[in-house]
Amino acid sequence: MKVEEGWPCSGPLLRMAEDAARKLLPAFQTPTGMPYGTVNLLRGVNPGETPVTCTAGVGTFILEFSTLSRLTGDPVFENVARKALRALWRTRSDIGLVGNHIDVITSKWVAQDAGIGAGVDSYFEYLVKGAIMLQDEKLLTMFYEFDKSIKNYTKFDDWYLWVQMHKGTVSMPVFQSLEAFWPGMQSLIGDISSATKSFHNYYSVWRQFGGLPEFYSIPQGYTVDKREGYPLRPELIESAMYLYKATGDPSFIQLGRDAVESIDRISRVNCGFATGICLVGEELRTTGLL
């Protein structure tokens, strides 16, 4: 098959990526530089669009948009991504935390729960991975500042709770399955001890239920009502991979193998895989997962 000169860093896939990204640029046309959460690909931002966006929705562009700028030679993509990151950085509270949802017009926090899970997670992930990919010390410094506050106010016995972003008081003592990316990200900055301890907490939940429930009550040691399902999220397995690469410890390979077997047993259907229901007690024993 003939491909264009410069493949794979130029050609039809890059042109499609650039076209898609340009259709997203109107979302960044706000007074703060933080983007709307939704943009119509034909008409731009709807006049009635809500200005409230989750933290991750503001801070999760730097990897893709920087890559696109480097490949196309157009700095606009990286520039808007960096401007959004800087704007979000300036909104952190006096104790160094960010909330869950923000008004991108006024920079006012609408949801003030601070944590590392849903609605916030990939903001921190992209600060670290963006710093690594771009060799950018400023991004890494941002993350380290957040990391200090996260450890000071949200970390309890190697779990990370949700707290009020201004006061640091606990608002939700739950573990969310999306938080399972955190140990893998910690391993990327060399914090192996903390990463391993948190990973084993999370994996103990997997062993308890045969999968990670969306919400797990830490005080009760049980799933949260109506949030018991496991929608095939990859974060825990990703963390096992990163920790194995960082330590060479073969136990992480075994943990990954156990996870694959669990997924096969609780999620396989005739046409592929579907959201799994986390199992408990006798149900786990009968499936052979305990």
Side-chain angles (χ1 to χ4, degrees):
M1 168 179 183
K2 292 183 179 180
V3 297
E4 294 181 28
E5 184 178 353
W7 178 270
C9 293
S10 64
L13 294 180
L14 179 60
R15 290 194 292 273
M16 290 171 65
E18 181 179 3
D19 180 60
R22 290 197 185 280
K23 291 177 179 178
L24 299 180
L25 289 179
F28 291 85
Q29 294 173 6
T30 65
T32 64
M34 292 186 284
Y36 284 95
T38 303
V39 59
N40 185 294
L41 297 180
L42 289 177
R43 296 180 291 276
V45 177
N46 189 307
E49 179 62 37
T50 176
V52 177
T53 303
C54 72
T55 306
V58 173
T60 309
F61 289 92
I62 192 66
L63 291 178
E64 292 83 1
F65 272 32
S66 292
T67 300
L68 198 54
S69 282
R70 308 299 171 92
L71 292 178
T72 62
D74 188 339
V76 64
F77 306 109
E78 184 171 346
N79 288 346
V80 297
R82 287 186 179 276
K83 184 176 180 181
L85 284 177
R86 289 193 297 269
L88 197 53
W89 170 252
R90 290 193 294 268
T91 66
R92 65 196 189 283
S93 69
D94 290 341
I95 60 174
L97 297 173
V98 290
N100 200 275
H101 283 76
I102 192 169
D103 187 312
V104 301
I105 303 298
T106 65
S107 296
K108 301 295 183 184
W109 286 101
V110 177
Q112 298 186 1
D113 293 311
I116 61 170
V120 186
D121 47 0
S122 56
Y123 171 43
F124 299 133
E125 181 183 13
Y126 269 48
L127 287 177
V128 171
K129 292 181 178 178
I132 293 171
M133 185 181 82
L134 300 171
Q135 293 295 287
D136 190 313
E137 292 186 8
K138 290 182 179 179
L139 295 181
L140 195 58
T141 298
M142 287 183 186
F143 174 77
Y144 279 136
E145 287 298 312
F146 279 127
D147 194 39
K148 285 190 292 187
S149 295
I150 288 166
K151 287 178 177 177
N152 285 340
Y153 294 101
T154 78
K155 187 177 181 181
F156 296 88
D157 294 330
D158 300 309
W159 297 97
Y160 294 86
L161 312 183
W162 289 85
V163 303
Q164 210 283 339
M165 65 176 288
H166 296 290
K167 301 175 182 178
T169 52
V170 175
S171 58
M172 290 192 298
V174 300
F175 159 64
Q176 299 178 350
S177 61
L178 284 168
E179 297 172 19
F181 83 98
W182 191 258
M185 190 195 66
Q186 288 178 305
S187 75
L188 293 176
I189 58 171
D191 193 357
I192 303 300
S193 177
S194 294
T196 301
K197 291 174 183 176
S198 293
F199 179 88
H200 284 295
N201 274 354
Y202 303 164
Y203 189 69
S204 71
V205 177
W206 185 293
R207 292 291 296 170
Q208 183 180 355
F209 297 103
L212 281 188
E214 285 287 81
F215 281 37
Y216 174 83
S217 171
I218 296 168
Q220 296 177 355
Y222 208 71
T223 60
V224 174
D225 187 42
K226 297 183 175 26
R227 302 307 296 270
E228 303 94 340
Y230 168 61
L232 301 177
R233 297 198 186 279
E235 286 81 4
L236 186 70
I237 300 173
E238 179 191 35
S239 284
M241 180 271 292
Y242 278 126
L243 280 165
Y244 173 70
K245 286 181 174 291
T247 66
D249 185 344
S251 66
F252 290 110
I253 293 290
Q254 183 58 49
L255 297 176
R257 184 179 293 112
D258 291 345
V260 169
E261 292 175 356
S262 293
I263 291 170
D264 194 58
R265 294 184 185 184
I266 70 171
S267 298
R268 182 182 287 278
V269 293
N270 289 337
C271 58
F273 293 87
T275 294
I277 300 299
C278 291
L279 308 174
V280 294
E282 189 59 38
E283 292 173 293
L284 271 176
R285 281 186 282 274
T286 59
T287 61
L289 294 176
L290 281 182

